[in-house]
Amino acid sequence: GDYWYTQLEDFIAELDKEAQELKQMEEQEMQEFDEPSMEDSTSVDGKIKSSKSKAQKKANNKSKKNQVKRSNAKKTLLNSGGDALFDKVYQNMEKHKEAFFVVYLHDPKNVPSLPPVTDEDPLLTCEIMDGRDAFLTRAKDLRLEFSSLRRAKYSTMHLL
């Protein structure tokens, strides 16, 4: 019973770790960008002159804009952590849908647009399953018990 609980905790921990790594990378990029290099300026007669050409300045402005865009993209990735968590859960469910009973629920807004459900199996009538009293009477007559898993399995086999 604790499988999905522990899986969710692991997925959340992974996403937190990825978010921290992205944040650290962003901070490193900002530190590298903010540090002035000694090659960029030279001192002549106490005046600081830039050795950068106009083309280099334009390239730096473009790189600044690209970094801002990348940082915004990273922030949206961090903010959409719930979507990433859902994606990981769905991927894991797809791997294990043979071992688990998986049900995909539809959005209530989309339910009217869904096609009607058609059951291909015919309805079976059984006097034991018509009501609670018939089932209890039959189980009492045959001395069937459902108090433990072992007894429930035996009783179910006997009824079938």
Side-chain angles (χ1 to χ4, degrees), residues 2 6 19 31 53 61 78 80 98 109 128 134 149:
D2 293 336
T6 54
Q31 287 176 355
S53 68
N61 286 339
L78 293 176
S80 66
E98 294 296 323
K109 296 175 187 173
I128 296 176
L149 180 62

Side-chain angles (χ1 to χ4, degrees), residues 56-100:
Q56 288 174 336
K57 289 180 182 179
K58 285 182 183 179
N60 280 342
N61 286 339
K62 285 182 182 180
S63 68
K64 285 181 187 178
K65 289 178 183 177
N66 288 339
Q67 284 181 351
V68 169
K69 287 179 184 177
R70 275 189 262 140
S71 67
N72 288 340
K74 289 176 187 176
K75 287 177 185 175
T76 57
L77 284 174
L78 293 176
N79 291 339
S80 66
D83 294 337
L85 178 62
F86 282 126
D87 291 341
K88 285 189 176 235
V89 170
Y90 285 132
Q91 289 172 359
N92 197 14
M93 283 172 49
E94 284 297 320
K95 289 179 191 173
H96 298 295
K97 72 180 181 182
E98 294 296 323
F100 293 103

Side-chain angles (χ1 to χ4, degrees), residues 7-137:
Q7 284 296 313
L8 286 174
E9 284 183 344
D10 292 344
F11 292 151
I12 291 169
E14 286 176 21
L15 290 173
D16 287 343
K17 184 178 178 184
E18 290 173 7
Q20 288 175 353
E21 289 173 358
L22 284 173
K23 195 173 185 179
Q24 288 175 352
M25 287 175 42
E26 184 177 299
E27 289 174 359
Q28 288 175 353
E29 288 176 1
M30 294 304 278
Q31 287 176 355
E32 290 173 1
F33 183 73
D34 289 341
E35 291 177 0
S37 64
M38 294 305 290
E39 300 169 1
D40 291 347
S41 60
T42 58
S43 176
V44 177
D45 297 331
K47 295 180 182 177
I48 298 176
K49 292 185 179 179
S50 177
S51 64
K52 290 184 180 179
S53 68
K54 289 182 181 180
Q56 288 174 336
K57 289 180 182 179
K58 285 182 183 179
N60 280 342
N61 286 339
K62 285 182 182 180
S63 68
K64 285 181 187 178
K65 289 178 183 177
N66 288 339
Q67 284 181 351
V68 169
K69 287 179 184 177
R70 275 189 262 140
S71 67
N72 288 340
K74 289 176 187 176
K75 287 177 185 175
T76 57
L77 284 174
L78 293 176
N79 291 339
S80 66
D83 294 337
L85 178 62
F86 282 126
D87 291 341
K88 285 189 176 235
V89 170
Y90 285 132
Q91 289 172 359
N92 197 14
M93 283 172 49
E94 284 297 320
K95 289 179 191 173
H96 298 295
K97 72 180 181 182
E98 294 296 323
F100 293 103
F101 184 69
V102 178
V103 177
Y104 295 100
L105 302 177
H106 294 285
D107 187 17
K109 296 175 187 173
N110 297 335
V111 170
S113 64
L114 294 174
V117 177
T118 55
D119 191 7
E120 299 167 1
D121 297 327
L123 290 177
L124 298 174
T125 57
C126 180
E127 63 184 52
I128 296 176
M129 297 300 165
D130 282 341
R132 183 173 186 259
D133 292 333
F135 176 77
L136 289 175
T137 304

